[in-house]
Amino acid sequence: KKHDDKKHDDKKKEKKSSSSAGGGGAAGETRVTVSVLSKEDDLSDAEKKKYSSMFKKHDADGSDTIDTSELAKCLTECGFEFGEGNAITLIIQLVSGAGGGSKALQKNAFMTLVKRLNYQTKLFRKVAGGGDDWRQTPIHEDKLLVLLNEKTKPQPYHFTKEQVKKSLYPWASCANGCFIEHYLLLTQFLRYARVNFIMADTNGDGAISLSELKTHLPRVGLNEKKAKSLMAKHGDKKKDLKFEQFACIVLQEM
């Protein structure tokens, strides 16, 4: 009987661990780890062949990397209108995970980016509607919430309406709403934030304490004084941050 009780306790611990879902996850979801995120980026043989060919075509200077101008041309050819300004630079920095230091993408990072953009574009198109004019059809707060919390699989987010209204939507939109390019840029940021959250959550409890955040301050562009102020404002009763709170804070500081 004692042995059975121990097995029951172990199962409860396992369930509790899996329900944290990398900060803000719902019960029953697989806990988000770097390895889980990496599996989402796995490429099929067909994708590897296709994206490798794209990389070779747009690596104009033969440097075995894709820089901002090369990436801009590639995305324009795919039908996106990011231009060659700050958006492209930010995408490279977010995908490479190098903060403000990286100015080009290695081949694997490029292929991963294209896979993510294709996946998120399909989701956006379904939710935005607009028929053949979907690229010129913006979404607003309600549909952005649906995209992030319901359509993003296998690891959906758990943002509140308030978080979308005050943080995510203002950042990822213009006067007319959130267009596909805005949305794609936001998804790359959220991926970057999720990886950083996992790295900062050293005890794996699905939340970040101030002491954990302190070790990660330079990487997300915060100083200690600012972090204390933001945690006091956005943290829960224990002064810890779930992923969605963490993402909104980092987004405000970008």
Side-chain angles (χ1 to χ4, degrees):
K1 187 176 185 306
K2 287 183 179 179
H3 179 68
D4 290 341
D5 288 343
K6 184 178 184 302
K7 287 174 65 178
H8 180 67
D9 288 342
D10 289 343
K11 285 184 178 180
K12 287 202 307 184
K13 289 178 182 178
E14 183 179 336
K15 183 177 181 181
K16 181 178 179 181
S17 175
S18 66
S19 69
S20 63
E29 289 180 5
T30 302
R31 183 172 179 274
V32 181
T33 62
V34 173
S35 61
V36 168
L37 293 179
S38 296
K39 288 181 180 179
E40 293 180 10
D41 290 335
D42 285 347
L43 300 170
S44 67
D45 290 340
E47 286 174 326
K48 288 178 181 177
K49 183 177 181 180
K50 180 179 179 180
Y51 302 155
S52 180
S53 177
M54 288 178 64
F55 180 88
K56 184 177 181 179
K57 175 182 178 180
H58 291 283
D59 179 21
D61 59 2
S63 63
D64 287 330
T65 61
I66 295 288
D67 62 24
T68 53
S69 62
E70 292 168 339
L71 182 59
K73 291 177 182 177
C74 176
L75 295 179
T76 298
E77 186 176 295
C78 292
F80 300 113
E81 298 180 7
F82 288 104
E84 295 190 26
N86 294 335
I88 296 296
T89 300
L90 182 57
I91 287 174
I92 289 177
Q93 292 171 357
L94 293 174
V95 174
S96 65
S102 183
K103 296 181 180 180
L105 291 178
Q106 301 291 330
K107 182 178 180 179
N108 286 341
F110 169 80
M111 294 195 296
T112 295
L113 170 63
V114 176
K115 179 185 176 77
R116 293 180 198 164
L117 294 182
N118 284 336
Y119 168 70
Q120 293 295 346
T121 296
K122 290 177 182 178
L123 296 186
F124 184 94
R125 187 172 184 177
K126 288 180 181 179
V127 171
D132 294 336
D133 295 328
W134 66 272
R135 290 185 183 276
Q136 285 73 47
T137 303
I139 61 171
H140 300 284
E141 295 169 16
D142 56 342
K143 289 188 176 181
L144 181 57
L145 187 67
V146 169
L147 270 170
L148 297 175
N149 289 4
E150 298 178 23
K151 300 300 182 182
T152 302
K153 304 293 182 182
Q155 305 298 334
Y157 298 106
H158 301 276
F159 288 103
T160 65
K161 289 183 179 180
E162 193 76 0
Q163 287 170 336
V164 169
K165 180 179 180 179
K166 291 189 175 181
S167 296
L168 304 186
Y169 185 74
W171 189 85
S173 64
C174 62
N176 296 321
C178 175
F179 290 87
I180 179 62
E181 289 82 9
H182 298 128
Y183 173 69
L184 293 178
L185 191 57
L186 176 63
T187 62
Q188 297 314 302
F189 163 76
L190 291 176
R191 172 62 180 238
Y192 166 83
R194 206 166 213 177
V195 170
N196 277 276
F197 180 91
I198 293 169
M199 293 173 64
D201 180 20
T202 54
N203 64 1
D205 66 352
I208 295 179
S209 65
L210 180 59
S211 61
E212 288 175 323
L213 184 57
K214 283 180 180 178
T215 65
H216 219 63
L217 293 175
R219 191 175 182 89
V220 295
L222 294 173
N223 60 51
E224 185 172 342
K225 182 178 179 180
K226 187 70 172 180
K228 286 181 177 179
S229 173
L230 290 171
M231 287 197 77
K233 181 179 179 181
H234 297 279
D236 58 22
K237 292 181 180 180
K238 295 181 180 180
K239 302 302 181 187
D240 288 342
L241 295 173
K242 297 295 186 182
F243 167 72
E244 287 74 16
Q245 295 165 318
F246 172 80
C248 289
I249 286 175
V250 177
L251 193 61
Q252 290 174 14
E253 297 304 302
M254 290 192 71

